[in-house]
Amino acid sequence: MNNFEYSNPTRLVFGKGEESRIGELMRARVPAMSPVLVVYGGGSAKESGLLERISESLKAADLVPIELGGVTPNPQLSFVQKGILLAREHRVKAILAVGGGSVIDASKAIAIGVPYVGDVWDFFTKKITPTEALPVAAVLTLPAAGSEQSIRIVISNGDRKLGAGSPLVRPFVSVIDPELFFTLPEKQIRAGVIDMMSHIMERYFTQTKNTDFVDSQAESAMKTIMKNGLKLKKNPKDYDAWCQIGLAGSFAHNGYYGLGQVEDWASHGMEHELSAWDTTITHGEGLAVVVPAWMKYVWHANPKRFVQFARNVMGVKGEGTDEEIIRKGIKAFRRFLKKMGAPKNLKELGAEKADPKELAKKAVEIPGKLGNFLPLYEKDIVKIYKLMR
Amino acid sequence: MNNFEYSNPTRLVFGKGEESRIGELMRARVPAMSPVLVVYGGGSAKESGLLERISESLKAADLVPIELGGVTPNPQLSFVQKGILLAREHRVKAILAVGGGSVIDASKAIAIGVPYVGDVWDFFTKKITPTEALPVAAVLTLPAAGSEQSIRIVISNGDRKLGAGSPLVRPFVSVIDPELFFTLPEKQIRAGVIDMMSHIMERYFTQTKNTDFVDSQAESAMKTIMKNGLKLKKNPKDYDAWCQIGLAGSFAHNGYYGLGQVEDWASHGMEHELSAWDTTITHGEGLAVVVPAWMKYVWHANPKRFVQFARNVMGVKGEGTDEEIIRKGIKAFRRFLKKMGAPKNLKELGAEKADPKELAKKAVEIPGKLGNFLPLYEKDIVKIYKLMR
């Protein structure tokens, strides 16, 4: 295990009805009479009455809500820039995200953009590092990205999709009310479940040795996610299953499952190119296509770790060579994805026309390579995209 | 699952050599030239050169160390009072605990005592709630109590042993360097391992339903602790095993394994009476005697949960009635305790002369009853102490 630092200061407020406390919760950090930018996505937050309840809660706590809707999946730089201008105009003192990962990421980007004199895109091209940000709070409506407890942001600029991170944008409070997930469409449930699985996998597949404790935590979390994900496929109003998924998804991306180990993140890198190529592709569905192909390409870099995955996570029993056990493990994982209804190749994802060479070229353009389990260069990535056909 | 709030703001700095950064780490919160009270236990911290290294690190960061040694296991109110006077005299701005749970608890008590005009014991008798405290930092030398990430304090006043808690005393930074554990005597290793097991058990044995995710995390943590505890019994210089135990012990008591559920804590209550009756009794060794007796008395209050423990944690296989499976599970747990070399009854603990009636009477004196899995009244507790014979 490697040396590490960890803390998880986000105040997580979990359970039915808790979003009605958001005003009071924000006041712990934001002075009375402060304007608060309330960022949301489509019409559902408005139609369901959620935005109104939140607005009332803010007003009751002497805060002034300024609403900004219209965040899209794979949120765009242009939206963020619009949000920054609006936030400056109203002199907002904090950002409240009401939504899933896209809304929270857009809110985080606005939060670092408001006090910065240059273009907020500079943070994503790594031109500069954030030193200041407005405080961010979140009411989660879609458990998937784990952005409600994370320091990460992903923003798209046309067909460029880049990530940035700073402890400054970690929400100081996040509300997770599993009842808010009851109306999610099947596709969103599936994408969310796969996204949180992959957040754990990006950490679990490591070359770092002696990570016994974190391994065992990650393995049991992945099993719990799969079990409860399938329950939600059958009944999207299963409060108890949503509790497990809401909790697991949030911890999946706060750093806990990567303590003391080198993480990978190649699959996320490859998926980002797909959903940048076509921004209507849902990140979690893209991952369902990318991750099994990645597994097939990289397992030989550490067969022991993939045997452990097959045995401890996918429950593969019986004798066999390492390769046989590993292939059974990957097959079992694909079976799970199929049961969730996920696309199994680029065609089903609607990306059969994307050019592997173009995607690979863009994937390594800034980082040079992807991943650490097996460092992947442009030629490797072309091959992996081809495996997705 | 119940609604809950959670956050874990302690900055955990983990790995070999990290204690040499303590000065710089404290300066993130404490101004230059501040006097810092460095609290420690016996001579080993001094003889090993650890205290000198820490002192140098503090001085290099422009902090002024004021040393206070002599914390005993089951730390006494009189020591805390002495520490408060010393801290006031030197106008210290922060407390640095260098030790295990006793040292950290004594430091936390000093931290709430310094700004309080009355007797610090008032916090433990619940006469008042802390509203102010000096910041606390810790360098852990014995993984067991989890105090380095927790809001809890336990202090003894003669033969009274009481707990208190406040987010104000949660260390803002804690260093865990597994190499510092290499010289621990076998008894301390054992007591530590059992203490962290029991911190998870006090949460795991709950009547709250639908706690799937947290259950799975707790089960895998308990298995990891037992496996690595036995490794350390064989080789106390096994760095990798200490990494797992150091990490597990710290998360065992930061609230993670109790998210959304009603916790128990009856076993801790009963053990506290034993180590208050004879302060040379080590808390973890007392728990080795208390927990199996508690299990035998309470399992019928929720056999399903005890079957789950037997199957998922203790690995009990095969068919049988619930009672048979449960008894096998408890037996397997006792077998683990025996392998660790723990005392199996009050006699081996050196407490055969303690009077069950007296102990039980004191145990309920302030709270009225102990525990939630099966609420235990005085007469129940007498019976449980008798089961320990």
Side-chain angles (χ1 to χ4, degrees):
Chain A
M1 194 190 280
N2 301 334
N3 287 16
F4 68 84
E5 285 199 25
Y6 178 73
S7 78
N8 182 19
T10 298
R11 180 177 175 190
L12 191 64
V13 181
F14 192 101
K16 51 180 87 172
E18 296 289 356
E19 68 277 12
S20 64
R21 290 174 55 208
I22 190 65
E24 157 217 336
L25 293 168
M26 289 194 76
R27 276 297 306 285
R29 177 84 171 262
V30 182
M33 309 313 293
S34 298
V36 171
L37 190 70
V38 181
V39 181
Y40 63 99
S44 63
K46 206 155 201 131
E47 285 152 25
S48 68
L50 173 62
L51 268 179
E52 203 184 314
R53 288 207 313 281
I54 283 173
S55 203
E56 277 166 17
S57 172
L58 292 173
K59 287 175 192 162
D62 291 325
L63 295 170
V64 184
I66 313 288
E67 290 187 4
L68 172 65
V71 181
T72 53
N74 304 305
Q76 291 292 324
L77 178 63
S78 54
F79 179 90
V80 171
Q81 288 165 331
K82 192 172 91 177
I84 292 168
L85 293 179
L86 187 69
R88 285 182 186 151
E89 182 190 326
H90 289 275
R91 299 175 183 280
V92 310
K93 295 289 180 289
I95 318 282
L96 170 60
V98 180
S102 300
V103 171
I104 303 175
D105 280 12
S107 301
K108 288 174 171 178
I110 294 170
I112 49 170
V114 170
Y116 176 57
V117 289
D119 184 353
V120 67
W121 190 242
D122 293 347
F123 296 111
F124 297 87
T125 55
K126 313 283 185 249
K127 210 170 125 186
I128 85 154
T129 305
T131 55
E132 224 185 320
L134 292 180
V136 177
V139 171
L140 190 68
T141 61
L142 167 64
S147 190
E148 69 280 6
Q149 266 197 81
S150 88
I151 64 169
R152 302 289 306 163
I153 321 174
V154 180
I155 294 293
S156 296
N157 181 7
D159 65 351
R160 291 280 291 281
K161 187 170 179 177
L162 297 178
S166 164
L168 291 169
V169 297
R170 190 196 278 266
F172 68 94
V173 63
S174 282
V175 173
I176 301 181
D177 172 358
E179 281 190 336
L180 298 182
F181 311 150
F182 283 8
T183 51
L184 286 172
E186 187 181 315
K187 182 176 169 163
Q188 298 271 29
I189 297 174
R190 168 169 62 241
V193 165
I194 296 166
D195 195 15
M196 57 186 75
M197 274 298 280
S198 79
H199 288 155
I200 302 183
M201 287 176 164
E202 297 277 21
R203 296 169 164 103
Y204 180 76
F205 289 107
T206 180
Q207 299 286 2
T208 309
K209 300 272 182 281
N210 301 307
T211 54
D212 204 8
F213 174 72
V214 174
D215 283 1
S216 80
Q217 298 292 284
E219 288 164 0
S220 62
M222 285 189 274
K223 283 191 285 188
T224 307
I225 291 170
M226 288 192 288
K227 182 176 145 193
N228 287 281
L230 292 170
K231 280 188 189 175
L232 292 171
K233 178 84 166 59
K234 283 189 190 145
N235 175 15
K237 290 190 169 37
D238 184 337
Y239 181 81
D240 299 320
W242 273 126
C243 280
Q244 317 312 318
I245 289 291
L247 197 46
S250 209
F251 278 85
H253 204 29
N254 78 10
Y256 181 63
Y257 297 113
L259 295 177
Q261 57 202 50
V262 176
E263 305 183 355
D264 191 66
W265 298 101
S267 297
H268 267 69
M270 287 185 282
E271 197 296 313
H272 285 169
E273 293 312 321
L274 289 171
S275 48
W277 177 79
D278 176 354
T279 57
T280 67
I281 289 176
T282 305
H283 176 54
E285 295 216 307
L287 286 167
V289 175
V290 171
V291 174
W294 174 84
M295 288 177 159
K296 282 184 212 162
Y297 193 81
V298 306
W299 69 260
H300 65 86
N302 185 346
K304 206 179 146 200
R305 171 66 36 166
F306 269 87
V307 169
Q308 187 180 334
F309 171 73
R311 296 294 198 193
N312 295 0
V313 182
M314 299 315 305
V316 173
K317 307 270 182 225
E319 300 293 304
T321 64
D322 278 3
E323 182 165 352
E324 284 162 0
I325 304 297
I326 290 165
R327 291 203 183 277
K328 278 184 191 170
I330 297 174
K331 213 168 162 180
F333 178 56
R334 295 194 72 172
R335 214 154 40 228
F336 159 74
L337 295 171
K338 194 180 169 187
K339 276 190 201 163
M340 289 300 297
K344 69 172 188 293
N345 52 37
L346 289 178
K347 194 176 168 198
E348 288 186 13
L349 187 65
E352 72 273 35
K353 287 183 186 154
D355 178 4
K357 284 182 188 164
E358 284 296 312
L359 295 173
K361 195 178 155 192
K362 276 182 50 214
V364 297
E365 195 175 7
I366 289 178
K369 64 172 182 61
L370 291 183
N372 295 300
F373 186 82
L374 178 66
L376 301 172
Y377 297 91
E378 196 172 329
K379 66 177 175 21
D380 302 298
I381 297 168
V382 172
K383 287 179 195 161
I384 297 175
Y385 279 123
K386 285 182 177 170
L387 285 175
M388 297 176 209
R389 280 174 172 168
Chain B
M1 193 189 281
N2 302 334
N3 287 17
F4 68 83
E5 284 199 25
Y6 178 73
S7 78
N8 181 19
T10 299
R11 181 177 175 190
L12 192 63
V13 181
F14 192 101
K16 50 180 84 171
E18 296 289 356
E19 69 276 12
S20 64
R21 290 174 55 208
I22 190 64
E24 158 217 335
L25 293 167
M26 288 193 77
R27 276 297 305 286
R29 177 85 172 261
V30 181
M33 307 314 291
S34 297
V36 172
L37 190 69
V38 181
V39 180
Y40 64 99
S44 64
K46 204 153 202 132
E47 287 152 24
S48 68
L50 173 62
L51 269 179
E52 204 183 313
R53 286 206 315 280
I54 283 173
S55 203
E56 277 166 18
S57 172
L58 293 173
K59 286 175 192 163
D62 292 325
L63 295 171
V64 184
I66 314 288
E67 290 187 5
L68 173 64
V71 180
T72 53
N74 303 306
Q76 290 292 324
L77 177 64
S78 55
F79 179 89
V80 171
Q81 288 165 331
K82 193 171 92 178
I84 292 168
L85 293 178
L86 187 69
R88 285 182 186 151
E89 183 189 326
H90 289 275
R91 300 174 183 280
V92 310
K93 295 289 179 290
I95 317 282
L96 171 60
V98 180
S102 299
V103 170
I104 303 174
D105 280 12
S107 301
K108 288 174 172 177
I110 294 170
I112 49 171
V114 170
Y116 177 57
V117 289
D119 184 354
V120 67
W121 190 243
D122 293 347
F123 296 111
F124 297 88
T125 55
K126 313 281 185 246
K127 213 170 122 185
I128 86 154
T129 304
T131 56
E132 222 186 321
L134 292 180
V136 177
V139 171
L140 190 68
T141 61
L142 165 64
S147 190
E148 69 279 6
Q149 265 198 82
S150 88
I151 64 169
R152 302 288 307 162
I153 322 175
V154 180
I155 294 292
S156 296
N157 181 8
D159 66 351
R160 291 281 292 280
K161 187 170 180 176
L162 296 178
S166 164
L168 291 168
V169 297
R170 191 196 279 264
F172 68 94
V173 63
S174 282
V175 173
I176 301 181
D177 172 359
E179 281 191 335
L180 299 181
F181 311 151
F182 283 8
T183 51
L184 286 172
E186 187 181 315
K187 183 176 167 161
Q188 298 270 29
I189 297 173
R190 168 168 63 240
V193 165
I194 297 166
D195 195 15
M196 57 187 74
M197 275 297 281
S198 79
H199 288 155
I200 301 182
M201 287 176 165
E202 296 278 21
R203 296 170 164 101
Y204 180 75
F205 289 107
T206 180
Q207 299 286 3
T208 309
K209 300 273 182 279
N210 301 310
T211 54
D212 203 7
F213 174 72
V214 174
D215 283 2
S216 80
Q217 298 291 285
E219 287 164 0
S220 61
M222 285 189 273
K223 283 191 284 187
T224 306
I225 291 170
M226 289 191 288
K227 182 176 144 192
N228 287 282
L230 291 171
K231 280 188 188 175
L232 292 171
K233 177 86 165 61
K234 282 190 188 143
N235 175 16
K237 291 190 167 39
D238 183 337
Y239 181 80
D240 299 320
W242 272 127
C243 279
Q244 316 312 318
I245 289 291
L247 196 46
S250 208
F251 278 86
H253 203 30
N254 77 10
Y256 181 62
Y257 297 112
L259 295 177
Q261 56 201 48
V262 176
E263 305 183 354
D264 191 66
W265 299 100
S267 298
H268 266 68
M270 287 185 282
E271 196 296 314
H272 285 169
E273 293 312 321
L274 289 171
S275 48
W277 175 80
D278 176 355
T279 57
T280 67
I281 288 175
T282 305
H283 175 54
E285 294 217 307
L287 286 166
V289 175
V290 171
V291 173
W294 174 84
M295 287 177 160
K296 282 184 210 163
Y297 193 83
V298 307
W299 70 259
H300 65 86
N302 186 345
K304 206 180 145 200
R305 171 68 35 167
F306 269 87
V307 168
Q308 188 180 334
F309 171 74
R311 297 292 196 194
N312 295 0
V313 182
M314 300 314 305
V316 173
K317 307 270 182 226
E319 299 294 304
T321 64
D322 279 3
E323 183 164 353
E324 284 162 1
I325 304 296
I326 290 164
R327 291 203 183 277
K328 278 184 191 170
I330 298 174
K331 213 167 161 181
F333 179 56
R334 296 193 71 171
R335 212 154 43 228
F336 159 74
L337 294 172
K338 193 178 169 188
K339 276 190 200 163
M340 289 299 298
K344 70 171 187 290
N345 52 37
L346 289 178
K347 193 173 169 202
E348 288 186 13
L349 188 65
E352 72 272 35
K353 286 184 186 151
D355 178 3
K357 283 182 190 164
E358 284 295 313
L359 296 172
K361 197 178 153 192
K362 276 182 52 215
V364 298
E365 196 174 6
I366 289 179
K369 67 172 181 65
L370 291 183
N372 295 300
F373 185 81
L374 178 66
L376 301 172
Y377 297 90
E378 196 172 331
K379 65 177 176 22
D380 302 299
I381 298 168
V382 172
K383 286 178 196 163
I384 296 175
Y385 279 123
K386 285 182 176 169
L387 284 174
M388 297 176 210
R389 280 173 173 167

